[in-house]
Amino acid sequence: QVHLMESGGGSVQAGGSLRLSCGVSGNTHLSHCMGWYRQAPGKEREGVAAIDTDGSATYTDSVKDRFTISKDNANNILYLQMNSLKVEDTAMYYCAAVRREYYNSCGYGSTYHMDYWGKGTLVTIST
């Protein structure tokens, strides 16, 4: 069983930065594909970024060059550094995990059925 807890959300102006954290129970860095997802009001949840057990990362186009996913393996923390924030980044952000062995790769798309989810942290971007 993996438990996830997000933190770091808040309200910032457009152009600003936030760093989200996700505390992870257990040593998942060698066994789980980890991802960040978000759900804006009235919209479906979408994948934002994922990081594989070897540290390689993938991003959805709308956040490329602005967001960085990373993990602190020693302390079991997943991060999402968000820069140059836009109003359209406003959403509830969730971290998620799935056992790496279930798939041939690691990603955030609909192909990947994450088994574990946090409760989310709210990010609000204003003009």
Side-chain angles (χ1 to χ4, degrees):
Q1 188 75 12
V2 176
H3 295 283
L4 308 172
M5 181 176 291
E6 304 91 341
S7 61
S11 299
V12 298
Q13 289 190 322
S17 298
L18 280 173
R19 187 176 76 162
L20 305 184
S21 299
C22 174
V24 183
S25 68
N27 295 317
T28 61
H29 60 280
L30 294 178
S31 58
H32 285 72
C33 167
M34 306 289 297
W36 283 99
Y37 292 75
R38 65 186 181 186
Q39 186 166 18
K43 294 188 177 182
E44 293 187 354
R45 186 175 62 199
E46 64 168 344
V48 174
I51 187 165
D52 208 338
T53 53
D54 64 359
S56 57
T58 183
Y59 302 90
T60 192
D61 286 346
S62 62
V63 308
K64 279 180 182 176
D65 300 323
R66 298 191 299 124
F67 290 11
T68 302
I69 188 172
S70 63
K71 53 183 180 175
D72 178 345
N73 294 332
N75 294 299
N76 296 322
I77 302 174
L78 179 72
Y79 295 105
L80 185 68
Q81 177 67 44
M82 306 187 295
N83 299 327
S84 302
L85 284 161
K86 304 177 180 180
V87 172
E88 51 264 42
D89 294 320
T90 294
M92 185 73 79
Y93 283 73
Y94 302 89
C95 60
V98 66
R99 288 196 67 87
R100 182 61 175 83
E101 62 189 335
Y102 293 167
Y103 298 97
N104 292 326
S105 59
C106 174
Y108 53 79
S110 58
T111 303
Y112 302 90
H113 300 286
M114 297 300 194
D115 288 332
Y116 305 103
W117 293 87
K119 293 186 177 181
T121 185
L122 182 62
V123 172
T124 304
I125 311 303
S126 59
T127 56

